[in-house]
Amino acid sequence: MDWQALALSLHLASATALLLLPLALWLARLLAWSSMRGRSVLEALILLPLVLPPTVLGYYLLLGFGSSSLLGQIYHVLSGRSLVFSFDGLLAASLIFNLPFAVQPMQRAFAAIPCEIREAAWVSGLSRWQTFLRIELPLAWPGVAAALALCFAHTLGEFGVVLMVGGSLPGETKTIAIAIYDQAQAFNDSAAANMSAFLLGLSFVAVVLVSRLGRGRTGR
Amino acid sequence: MRLSARIEQSAPIPLAADLDCESGELLALVGPSGSGKSTILRCLAGLHRPAGGHVRCGEETWFDATRGIDLPPQRRRVGFVFQHYALFPHLTALANVMLALTDLPADQRAARARDWLARANLEGFDHRRPGELSGGQQQRVALARALAREPRVLLLDEPFSAVDRVTRRKLLNQLIDLRRSLAIPIILVTHDLEEASLLADQMTVLHRGRTLQTATPEEMLARPASALVARLTDQTNLFVGKVTHQSRASDTTVIDWLGHSLVATHHADFAPGETVCWVIPEAGVVLVREHQSERENTLSAKVNERLAWRGHATVTASVGKQGEASLTFAIGASVAGRRCIVPGAIVLLQLQKSAIRLLPADPAIGAPAALDRVDSWYPRPLPGEQAAPRPLAAPQPGRSSE
């Protein structure tokens, strides 16, 4: 077992889920309730990482994060670091390719809350912020938790985009999925098998969790 | 305290409605589906912003389009009972009511909420969630939550539509009791005219977002402002006739209807020869005996249908040579039995002069093809429309206006 790769993967998955939470909550509520113009375009953009081949997404992220890109240059000026082949770049890429996994379950959960429930909270005197914390979030919580579980599991297992944007720098960008690939390439079957079994177990737990939370939501 | 509002908008639902409701008064908004009743209620609560108009409650202005005032729902202090109650499903009945008491210190909220639940006859249900309550209990929690905030206005959006008839009757009685103790304007949206008549001091009839008439339920029934109002308030005895004679001196206006001359009280607005709509409440149609056949406005009719319910019978009888029109009247079920009022029986009916109300001819009512477009609420064709294409009897010589 490559413990360093596992630790890096867990770090990346936790940071992704944590950073995506506020962004996905905002986007999910916006898409669930707003009738703004361009909504379908925004939805399509968010869903794009689901259908794009990881190498294609990775390639465009590599271009977008590279030292010759505007984003790469701004980041270099601000932090003195490069976005590609670094943990920061990996995290930024992870946020993008996990966006649909975070937004979709949350959007469905918020859309399932009848408009009248929120309006009842407003006429009862609750501010919009209080309504979000005391009414919307508890009702949408199963969807939010499912989204976080999905993001976490998906980040642990992502390979193509990670390889394209981060490469395989031990302690910096070498995640457990890359480590499995490396071990398999080196014919180190037992290490690859151990790590694969670990990822399999973790993914299974995440899927069970998502399914149970989904059932809880529909049974409410 | 008085609630007055003028609501205007052209989309998504056209609205041009005026409302006035005094403290302690219950105003019922009635009208067909899509007439804008619920949208008007949402405008009052601040949940929907109309394009124009104003909403004033006492000295406060909640909304004024010209002055750019639009208070959010949180600052309007309205109690709102939604059609499906909109209780917070993850919270207990007590917590639902407590959420409306955020103005109180935290340590007083539970006691006050329990007090409101007790007033709604819900002792012992504090810790049940909405899913564990019956429809009637949910409705009472919603009412307790709406009143707990000590609102300036109570808004009820079809609050009885989601409960069975027996529960509805109980809840109606509770609301009748409750409203006596509330010194605030209450606006009730309903499509149930019986409910409106039982509860309301004033009724406003809406059609396509416009207020057609505001009056007491009795006044609305006796004196609808137009044929459309009569139709929207489910007046079954609405027909088309032609004025043949006018006499201010004898306080009469005579109309020709299916060859019968009917005498109404004087309606000065119509000239002889003019086509009019006329309406008579069911209570204005009286069953008379044969020896009373010479009475004014008495005509024979053939019974089509008798529906009895709880000691009352609603009878429909056709009038005219070919049974072109149907008159509906109500009598006691025992009377109906004793006098053999059964389908096929011939009866004598007197249309009381004072109960006949003449109304301007309505192009929508007069044109049968347009009828279903105008109103899908009560799609029953008007008896007068069947008679309309048939030439009405010409005004008789010597029966001209004085």
Side-chain angles (χ1 to χ4, degrees):
Chain A
M1 175 74 82
D2 187 338
W3 295 107
Q4 191 185 43
L6 177 64
L8 185 82
S9 283
L10 292 174
H11 183 197
L12 180 67
S14 313
T16 300
L18 210 63
L19 289 174
L20 264 184
L21 180 65
L23 176 67
L25 279 173
W26 178 71
L27 280 171
R29 288 180 79 247
L30 186 75
L31 292 171
W33 293 322
S34 159
S35 52
M36 61 170 188
R37 205 178 290 176
R39 185 186 137 155
S40 52
V41 175
L42 181 62
E43 269 184 313
L45 280 173
I46 290 169
L47 284 176
L48 211 52
L50 266 184
V51 292
L52 271 183
T55 45
V56 175
L57 181 63
Y59 174 72
Y60 282 117
L61 288 175
L62 199 58
L63 283 184
F65 292 173
S67 54
S68 55
S69 73
L70 183 65
L71 189 64
Q73 285 172 2
I74 291 171
Y75 190 76
H76 185 73
V77 169
L78 292 176
S79 68
R81 290 158 58 91
S82 164
L83 261 182
V84 289
F85 306 117
S86 72
F87 181 80
D88 299 357
L90 205 56
L91 181 59
S94 180
L95 292 175
I96 291 168
F97 70 69
N98 272 300
L99 208 52
F101 295 94
V103 173
Q104 280 269 301
M106 290 191 203
Q107 184 183 340
R108 278 200 299 274
F110 282 113
I113 302 173
C115 239
E116 281 191 348
I117 296 274
R118 298 163 64 219
E119 292 175 346
W122 299 339
V123 293
S124 296
L126 268 64
S127 67
R128 301 221 167 204
W129 183 240
Q130 286 173 319
T131 303
F132 172 70
L133 287 178
R134 301 176 75 167
I135 308 296
E136 293 170 18
L137 206 50
L139 288 175
W141 177 246
V144 174
L148 293 181
L150 266 178
C151 280
F152 192 86
H154 183 241
T155 309
L156 285 183
E158 179 54 39
F159 178 78
V161 177
V162 173
L163 193 66
M164 294 289 281
V165 177
S168 177
L169 302 173
E172 182 71 23
T173 61
K174 187 178 178 182
T175 62
I176 192 161
I178 305 287
I180 292 169
Y181 176 74
D182 284 351
Q183 296 298 341
Q185 289 291 88
F187 299 106
N188 190 351
D189 287 345
S190 74
N194 284 344
M195 288 189 278
S196 295
F198 179 79
L199 268 194
L200 177 69
L202 207 65
S203 302
F204 182 72
V205 168
V207 170
V208 168
L209 199 66
V210 169
S211 163
R212 284 183 70 114
L213 290 169
R215 261 209 308 279
R217 191 167 64 237
T218 52
R220 194 179 63 229
Chain B
M1 194 166 19
R2 177 177 177 219
L3 178 79
S4 72
R6 164 82 187 160
I7 310 284
E8 293 168 6
Q9 69 173 31
S10 53
I13 300 170
L15 292 175
D18 293 286
L19 303 176
D20 272 295
C21 188
E22 296 286 348
S23 274
E25 191 177 88
L26 192 146
L27 172 71
L29 300 184
V30 299
S33 301
S35 61
K37 307 184 294 287
S38 293
T39 309
I40 288 171
L41 220 56
R42 288 166 52 76
C43 290
L44 299 178
L47 298 170
H48 178 81
R49 187 189 169 130
H54 65 263
V55 178
R56 295 193 189 103
C57 183
E59 300 300 307
E60 287 182 11
T61 298
W62 289 351
F63 173 74
D64 192 322
T66 51
R67 288 159 62 196
I69 298 172
D70 184 20
L71 293 191
Q74 291 88 346
R75 289 181 55 199
R76 294 199 185 194
R77 226 179 172 84
V78 299
F80 201 127
V81 177
F82 290 83
Q83 190 174 0
H84 298 290
Y85 316 132
L87 295 177
F88 309 127
H90 60 301
L91 299 177
T92 62
L94 186 72
N96 261 277
V97 180
M98 280 172 69
L99 265 192
L101 293 166
T102 45
D103 290 350
L104 282 184
D107 58 339
Q108 294 176 20
R109 288 177 201 162
R112 183 70 67 86
R114 274 195 194 91
D115 183 40
W116 276 108
L117 286 174
R119 289 173 72 172
N121 297 326
L122 284 166
E123 290 109 328
F125 293 93
D126 300 11
H127 297 292
R128 293 210 191 165
R129 291 191 181 189
E132 298 162 338
L133 297 170
S134 69
Q137 288 164 344
Q138 287 183 32
Q139 199 257 16
R140 282 182 278 154
V141 175
L143 192 60
R145 183 179 68 182
L147 293 173
R149 226 183 150 215
E150 296 184 357
R152 289 166 169 272
V153 179
L154 180 62
L155 307 175
L156 307 165
D157 189 2
E158 307 223 17
F160 307 108
S161 64
V163 289
D164 61 76
R165 201 172 172 83
V166 176
T167 310
R168 186 172 144 244
R169 178 68 62 185
K170 285 183 195 163
L171 292 170
L172 267 171
N173 288 336
Q174 280 185 2
L175 190 60
I176 289 168
D177 289 342
L178 177 76
R179 54 156 305 207
R180 289 194 195 112
S181 63
L182 291 177
I184 53 171
I186 305 172
I187 315 267
L188 167 76
V189 159
T190 182
H191 64 269
D192 187 323
L193 293 159
E194 187 192 344
E195 198 172 285
S197 302
L198 277 171
L199 289 168
D201 300 297
Q202 296 280 318
M203 238 165 100
T204 290
V205 176
L206 286 159
H207 187 250
R208 292 182 175 171
R210 286 184 177 277
T211 43
L212 298 181
Q213 187 178 3
T214 298
T216 62
E218 298 78 25
E219 176 83 4
M220 191 76 78
L221 202 65
R223 277 183 250 287
S226 65
L228 187 58
V229 170
R231 191 171 164 73
L232 292 175
T233 50
D234 199 21
Q235 297 254 32
T236 46
N237 298 325
L238 175 61
F239 309 99
V240 177
K242 188 172 270 188
V243 176
T244 57
H245 183 72
Q246 282 281 34
S247 170
R248 188 183 296 276
S250 60
D251 186 28
T252 55
T253 296
V254 181
I255 57 167
D256 181 282
W257 178 60
L258 305 176
H260 298 281
S261 283
L262 299 180
V263 181
T265 51
H266 187 242
H267 288 68
D269 299 339
F270 307 103
E274 189 175 340
T275 299
V276 291
C277 284
W278 68 275
V279 65
I280 184 164
E282 288 175 11
V285 182
V286 182
L287 185 67
V288 295
R289 295 183 182 275
E290 264 184 48
H291 68 270
Q292 298 166 319
S293 62
E294 294 308 310
R295 282 187 178 184
E296 189 176 62
N297 293 345
T298 298
L299 39 89
S300 71
K302 186 178 177 186
V303 174
N304 294 330
E305 186 180 62
R306 187 182 87 180
L307 298 172
W309 169 248
R310 289 195 171 179
H312 299 281
T314 301
V315 182
T316 307
S318 56
V319 181
K321 286 178 187 135
Q322 275 86 45
E324 297 93 326
S326 289
L327 273 168
T328 303
F329 60 100
I331 50 172
S334 57
V335 175
R338 206 166 53 238
R339 295 187 59 179
C340 297
I341 309 296
V342 291
I346 302 294
V347 292
L348 281 176
L349 300 174
Q350 185 191 13
L351 311 186
Q352 292 188 319
K353 175 186 173 185
S354 58
I356 295 176
R357 171 90 174 153
L358 303 194
L359 305 163
D362 189 322
I365 300 291
L371 197 65
D372 287 339
R373 287 203 307 275
V374 167
D375 174 29
S376 58
W377 202 20
Y378 297 110
R380 180 187 58 255
L382 281 173
E385 287 159 3
Q386 293 167 2
R390 162 186 172 273
L392 289 164
Q396 291 173 19
R399 287 192 141 193
S400 59
S401 175
E402 288 180 355

